[in-house]
Coordinates of all heavy atoms in Angstrom, one line a residue:
C132 N -23.5 17.3 -25.4 CA -24.2 17.5 -24.1 C -25.1 16.4 -23.8 O -25.3 15.5 -24.7 CB -25.0 18.9 -24.2 SG -26.3 18.9 -25.3
L133 N -25.6 16.3 -22.6 CA -26.4 15.2 -22.2 C -27.8 15.8 -22.0 O -28.0 16.7 -21.2 CB -26.0 14.5 -20.9 CG -27.0 13.5 -20.4 CD1 -27.0 12.2 -21.3 CD2 -26.6 13.1 -19.0
A134 N -28.8 15.3 -22.7 CA -30.2 15.8 -22.6 C -31.0 14.7 -21.9 O -31.6 13.8 -22.5 CB -30.8 16.2 -23.9
L135 N -31.1 14.9 -20.5 CA -31.8 13.9 -19.8 C -33.0 14.5 -19.0 O -34.1 14.1 -19.2 CB -30.8 13.2 -18.8 CG -31.3 12.3 -17.7 CD1 -31.9 11.1 -18.3 CD2 -30.1 11.9 -16.8
S136 N -32.7 15.6 -18.3 CA -33.7 16.1 -17.4 C -34.9 16.7 -18.3 O -34.7 17.1 -19.4 CB -33.2 17.3 -16.6 OG -32.1 16.8 -15.8
E137 N -36.1 16.7 -17.7 CA -37.3 17.2 -18.3 C -38.1 18.1 -17.3 O -37.8 18.0 -16.1 CB -38.2 16.1 -18.8 CG -37.4 15.3 -19.8 CD -38.3 14.1 -20.4 OE1 -39.5 14.0 -20.0 OE2 -37.7 13.4 -21.2
P138 N -39.1 18.8 -17.9 CA -39.8 19.6 -16.9 C -40.4 18.8 -15.7 O -40.4 19.3 -14.6 CB -41.0 20.2 -17.7 CG -40.5 20.2 -19.1 CD -39.5 19.0 -19.2
G139 N -40.8 17.5 -15.9 CA -41.3 16.8 -14.8 C -40.4 15.7 -14.3 O -40.8 14.8 -13.6
A140 N -39.1 15.8 -14.7 CA -38.2 14.8 -14.3 C -36.7 15.3 -14.2 O -36.1 15.5 -15.2 CB -38.2 13.6 -15.4
G141 N -36.4 15.6 -12.9 CA -35.0 16.0 -12.7 C -34.3 15.1 -11.8 O -33.6 14.1 -12.3
S142 N -34.4 15.2 -10.5 CA -33.9 14.1 -9.6 C -34.3 12.8 -9.9 O -33.6 11.8 -9.9 CB -34.3 14.4 -8.1 OG -34.2 15.7 -7.8
D143 N -35.6 12.7 -10.3 CA -36.2 11.4 -10.6 C -36.1 11.2 -12.1 O -37.1 11.4 -12.9 CB -37.7 11.4 -10.1 CG -38.4 10.1 -10.4 OD1 -37.7 9.2 -10.8 OD2 -39.6 10.1 -10.2
L165 N -35.1 19.8 -20.3 CA -35.0 21.1 -19.7 C -33.6 21.1 -18.9 O -33.2 20.2 -18.4 CB -36.1 21.2 -18.7 CG -36.3 22.7 -18.1 CD1 -36.7 23.6 -19.2 CD2 -37.5 22.6 -17.1
W166 N -33.1 22.3 -18.8 CA -31.9 22.7 -18.1 C -30.7 22.0 -18.7 O -29.8 21.4 -18.0 CB -31.8 22.3 -16.6 CG -33.1 22.5 -15.7 CD1 -33.7 21.7 -15.0 CD2 -33.7 23.8 -15.6 NE1 -34.7 22.3 -14.3 CE2 -34.7 23.7 -14.6 CE3 -33.5 25.1 -16.2 CZ2 -35.6 24.6 -14.2 CZ3 -34.3 26.1 -15.8 CH2 -35.4 25.9 -14.8
I167 N -30.6 22.0 -20.1 CA -29.5 21.2 -20.8 C -28.4 22.2 -21.0 O -28.4 23.1 -21.8 CB -30.0 20.6 -22.1 CG1 -31.3 19.8 -21.8 CG2 -28.9 19.7 -22.7 CD1 -31.2 18.7 -20.7
S168 N -27.3 21.9 -20.3 CA -26.0 22.7 -20.3 C -25.4 22.6 -21.7 O -25.3 21.4 -22.3 CB -25.0 22.3 -19.3 OG -25.6 22.4 -18.0
N169 N -24.9 23.6 -22.2 CA -24.1 23.7 -23.5 C -24.9 23.3 -24.7 O -24.3 22.9 -25.7 CB -22.9 22.7 -23.4 CG -21.9 23.2 -22.3 OD1 -21.7 24.4 -22.2 ND2 -21.4 22.3 -21.5
M212 N -28.9 31.9 -15.1 CA -29.1 31.4 -13.7 C -28.0 32.1 -12.8 O -27.1 32.7 -13.3 CB -28.8 29.9 -13.7 CG -30.0 29.0 -14.2 SD -29.7 27.3 -13.8 CE -31.3 26.7 -14.3
Y216 N -23.9 29.8 -14.9 CA -24.7 28.7 -15.6 C -25.7 29.3 -16.5 O -26.3 30.4 -16.2 CB -25.4 27.8 -14.5 CG -24.4 27.2 -13.6 CD1 -24.0 27.8 -12.4 CD2 -23.8 26.0 -14.0 CE1 -23.0 27.2 -11.6 CE2 -22.8 25.4 -13.2 CZ -22.4 26.0 -12.0 OH -21.5 25.5 -11.1
H217 N -26.0 28.6 -17.6 CA -26.9 29.2 -18.5 C -27.5 28.0 -19.4 O -27.2 27.9 -20.5 CB -26.2 30.2 -19.4 CG -27.2 31.2 -20.0 ND1 -27.1 32.5 -19.7 CD2 -28.2 31.0 -20.8 CE1 -28.1 33.1 -20.4 NE2 -28.8 32.3 -21.0
P218 N -28.2 27.1 -18.8 CA -28.7 25.9 -19.5 C -29.9 26.3 -20.4 O -30.4 27.4 -20.5 CB -29.1 24.9 -18.4 CG -29.5 25.8 -17.3 CD -28.7 27.1 -17.4
R247 N -22.3 7.1 -16.2 CA -21.8 8.3 -16.7 C -22.1 9.4 -15.6 O -21.2 10.2 -15.4 CB -22.5 8.6 -18.0 CG -22.2 10.0 -18.6 CD -23.3 11.0 -18.5 NE -22.9 12.2 -19.1 CZ -23.0 13.4 -18.6 NH1 -23.6 13.5 -17.4 NH2 -22.8 14.5 -19.2
V368 N -25.0 26.1 -7.1 CA -25.6 25.2 -8.1 C -25.3 23.7 -7.9 O -26.1 22.8 -8.2 CB -25.3 25.7 -9.5 CG1 -26.0 24.8 -10.5 CG2 -25.8 27.2 -9.6
R370 N -24.9 21.9 -5.5 CA -25.7 21.0 -4.6 C -27.0 20.6 -5.2 O -27.8 19.9 -4.5 CB -25.9 21.8 -3.2 CG -24.7 21.7 -2.4 CD -24.6 22.9 -1.4 NE -25.7 23.0 -0.6 CZ -26.1 24.1 0.0 NH1 -25.3 25.2 -0.1 NH2 -27.1 24.2 0.7
I371 N -27.3 21.1 -6.4 CA -28.6 20.7 -7.1 C -28.3 19.8 -8.3 O -28.9 18.8 -8.5 CB -29.4 22.0 -7.5 CG1 -29.8 22.7 -6.2 CG2 -30.6 21.6 -8.3 CD1 -30.4 24.1 -6.4
V372 N -27.4 20.3 -9.2 CA -27.1 19.6 -10.5 C -26.6 18.2 -10.2 O -26.0 17.9 -9.2 CB -26.1 20.3 -11.4 CG1 -26.7 21.6 -12.0 CG2 -24.8 20.6 -10.7
E373 N -26.8 17.4 -11.1 CA -26.3 15.9 -11.0 C -26.9 15.3 -9.7 O -26.2 14.5 -9.1 CB -24.8 15.8 -11.1 CG -24.1 16.5 -12.3 CD -24.5 15.7 -13.6 OE1 -24.8 14.5 -13.5 OE2 -24.4 16.3 -14.7
G374 N -28.1 15.6 -9.4 CA -28.7 15.1 -8.2 C -28.5 15.9 -7.0 O -27.4 16.2 -6.7
P375 N -29.6 16.4 -6.4 CA -29.4 17.2 -5.2 C -28.9 16.4 -4.0 O -29.0 15.1 -3.9 CB -30.8 17.7 -4.8 CG -31.7 17.3 -6.0 CD -31.0 16.2 -6.7
S376 N -28.3 17.1 -3.0 CA -27.7 16.5 -1.8 C -28.6 15.4 -1.2 O -28.2 14.3 -0.8 CB -27.3 17.5 -0.8 OG -26.3 18.3 -1.3
E377 N -29.9 15.9 -1.0 CA -30.9 15.0 -0.3 C -31.0 13.6 -1.1 O -31.1 12.6 -0.4 CB -32.3 15.6 -0.2 CG -32.2 17.0 0.5 CD -31.6 18.1 -0.2 OE1 -31.6 18.2 -1.4 OE2 -30.9 19.0 0.5
V378 N -31.0 13.7 -2.4 CA -31.2 12.5 -3.1 C -29.9 11.6 -3.0 O -30.0 10.4 -2.8 CB -31.5 12.7 -4.6 CG1 -31.5 11.4 -5.4 CG2 -32.9 13.4 -4.7
W381 N -30.0 9.8 0.3 CA -31.1 8.8 0.1 C -30.4 7.5 -0.6 O -30.6 6.4 -0.2 CB -32.2 9.4 -0.7 CG -33.4 8.5 -0.9 CD1 -34.0 7.7 0.1 CD2 -34.2 8.3 -2.0 NE1 -35.1 7.0 -0.5 CE2 -35.3 7.4 -1.7 CE3 -34.1 8.8 -3.3 CZ2 -36.1 7.0 -2.7 CZ3 -35.0 8.4 -4.3 CH2 -36.0 7.5 -4.0
Ligands
LIG401 C1 -27.3 24.8 -14.1 C2 -27.9 23.5 -14.3 C3 -27.4 22.7 -15.3 C4 -27.9 21.5 -15.6 N1 -27.5 20.8 -16.7 C5 -28.1 19.6 -17.0 C6 -27.8 18.9 -18.2 O1 -26.8 19.3 -18.9 N2 -28.4 17.8 -18.6 C7 -29.5 17.4 -17.8 O2 -30.1 16.4 -18.2 N3 -29.9 18.0 -16.8 C8 -29.3 19.2 -16.3 N4 -29.6 19.9 -15.2 C9 -30.8 19.3 -14.4 C10 -30.3 18.8 -13.0 O3 -29.7 17.6 -13.1 C11 -31.6 18.8 -12.2 O4 -32.0 20.2 -11.9 C12 -31.4 18.1 -10.9 O5 -31.2 16.8 -11.0 C13 -32.5 18.4 -9.9 O6 -33.8 18.2 -10.6 P1 -35.0 19.3 -10.4 O7 -34.4 20.6 -10.7 O8 -36.0 18.8 -11.3 O9 -35.4 19.3 -8.9 P2 -36.5 18.3 -8.3 O10 -36.3 16.9 -8.8 O11 -37.9 18.9 -8.5 O12 -36.1 18.3 -6.7 C14 -36.3 19.6 -6.0 C15 -35.8 19.5 -4.6 O13 -36.6 18.4 -4.0 C16 -35.7 17.7 -3.0 N5 -35.9 16.3 -3.4 C17 -36.1 15.7 -4.5 N6 -36.2 14.4 -4.5 C18 -36.0 14.1 -3.1 C19 -35.9 12.9 -2.3 N7 -36.0 11.7 -2.9 N8 -35.6 13.0 -1.0 C20 -35.4 14.2 -0.5 N9 -35.5 15.4 -1.1 C21 -35.8 15.3 -2.5 C22 -34.3 18.2 -3.2 O14 -34.0 19.2 -2.2 C23 -34.3 18.9 -4.5 O15 -33.4 20.0 -4.7 C24 -29.1 21.1 -14.9 C25 -29.6 21.9 -13.8 C26 -29.0 23.1 -13.5 C27 -29.5 23.9 -12.4

Side-chain angles (χ1 to χ4, degrees):
C132 62
L133 174 71
L135 174 61
S136 304
E137 297 184 2
S142 312
D143 183 7
L165 196 61
W166 315 133
I167 308 307
S168 305
N169 298 316
M212 285 192 174
Y216 303 91
H217 206 118
R247 181 254 181 222
V368 176
R370 281 154 56 202
I371 295 171
V372 290
E373 304 291 337
S376 295
E377 296 71 33
V378 172
W381 184 46

